[in-house]
Amino acid sequence: DAGVIQSPRHEVTEMGQEVTLRCKPISGHDYLFWYRQTMMRGLELLIYFNNNVPIDDSGMPEDRFSAKMPNASFSTLKIQPSEPRDSAVYFCASTQGGSPYNEQFFGPGTRLTVL
Amino acid sequence: AQSVSQHNHHVILSEAASLELGCNYSYGGTVNLFWYVQYPGQHLQLLLKYFSGDPLVKGIKGFEAEFIKSKFSFNLRKPSVQWSDTAEYFCAVIPSNDYKLSFGAGTTVTVRA
């Protein structure tokens, strides 16, 4: 298996623009997670899905952020409009349900820079 | 909500030195505990995890961690580090009835050859 796939790997955009980050989880995994990593706040969980349904979005910073999972093999995280403080590395992870003990497998991340 | 504290922000060692990274969590219930590692330019990978049973857990690459319930701690150890252990190490906690991983701030480990 190719692991969790994220695209793009790097994104540079200007303030006010819309940004869409993409994630393909590992086949057969029914949980998908979006994390954000910054120097100031470390690794934070933004939202997670189970069987394509958002379960907990309490970590989403504000209404500018939205996430969707239209099917089991694809999810997006959208920021509209983007701001410089959104600059971070965004990770997607997936796991097979049944137990929270199961390892979450992380993608390589998308490094977002908002100018 | 649970929180995770990692005591050291940056640790610098020489090769063959022993490593111990502290991790404490605050949560009143049963938890699952993890250590993840992020090598330079790479994504997070699982080093080891604890759910129940023997509180001394062995992971990959010679790492081990000890769960001390009374101290709410899950410290990571390696008897003899190598240059290739240079990375950032994250302690993480999930309550046993949840899927929300809470990460510590991370400890950057630099091993000098």
Side-chain angles (χ1 to χ4, degrees):
Chain A
D1 198 315
V4 176
I5 298 172
Q6 292 186 247
S7 65
R9 294 293 307 275
H10 301 273
E11 177 81 31
V12 180
T13 190
E14 293 188 344
M15 183 173 63
Q17 296 298 306
E18 177 180 296
V19 175
T20 299
L21 311 181
R22 297 173 178 81
C23 175
K24 176 178 167 53
I26 293 173
S27 177
H29 284 188
D30 53 350
Y31 280 81
L32 183 140
F33 306 82
W34 282 101
Y35 292 89
R36 178 173 67 175
Q37 185 180 34
T38 62
M39 290 291 291
M40 292 297 296
R41 300 174 66 90
L43 265 165
E44 306 171 276
L45 176 65
L46 300 178
I47 184 172
Y48 78 94
F49 296 82
N50 176 219
N51 290 324
N52 315 335
V53 176
I55 302 301
D56 190 322
D57 65 354
S58 59
M60 295 285 263
E62 49 197 274
D63 291 345
R64 298 184 297 106
F65 285 69
S66 62
K68 294 182 180 179
M69 193 165 184
N71 57 61
S73 59
F74 184 65
S75 177
T76 59
L77 178 67
K78 186 176 293 186
I79 309 172
Q80 165 63 16
S82 58
E83 296 183 2
R85 61 192 167 121
D86 302 330
S87 297
V89 181
Y90 291 81
F91 290 100
C92 178
S94 70
T95 192
Q96 199 160 34
S99 169
Y101 182 60
N102 294 341
E103 175 184 356
Q104 290 187 22
F105 291 84
F106 284 77
T110 295
R111 183 174 295 277
L112 173 65
T113 302
V114 183
L115 304 174
Chain B
Q2 65 274 16
S3 67
V4 184
S5 299
Q6 292 184 238
H7 311 307
N8 309 98
H9 180 62
H10 193 181
V11 173
I12 302 173
L13 301 164
S14 298
E15 276 193 311
S18 64
L19 172 70
E20 180 161 0
L21 303 181
C23 173
N24 286 90
Y25 65 93
S26 63
Y27 183 71
T30 304
V31 295
N32 301 314
L33 298 154
F34 304 81
W35 276 97
Y36 279 83
V37 61
Q38 188 175 24
Y39 296 103
Q42 297 188 28
H43 58 279
L44 281 98
Q45 304 169 43
L46 183 69
L47 266 182
L48 48 77
K49 60 183 179 179
Y50 173 80
F51 172 57
S52 66
D54 188 344
L56 186 61
V57 180
K58 294 193 183 300
I60 61 171
K61 304 186 180 185
F63 284 90
E64 63 180 29
E66 185 176 12
F67 171 54
I68 303 179
K69 188 175 181 179
S70 61
K71 295 185 178 180
F72 297 88
S73 70
F74 190 55
N75 293 353
L76 181 72
R77 298 194 291 254
K78 185 170 184 178
S80 176
V81 296
Q82 300 172 309
W83 176 81
S84 58
D85 293 322
T86 294
E88 189 159 14
Y89 293 80
F90 295 90
C91 182
V93 171
I94 284 187
S96 62
N97 60 350
D98 200 350
Y99 281 85
K100 293 172 65 174
L101 254 181
S102 293
F103 283 90
T107 298
T108 300
V109 173
T110 302
V111 180
R112 291 178 171 162

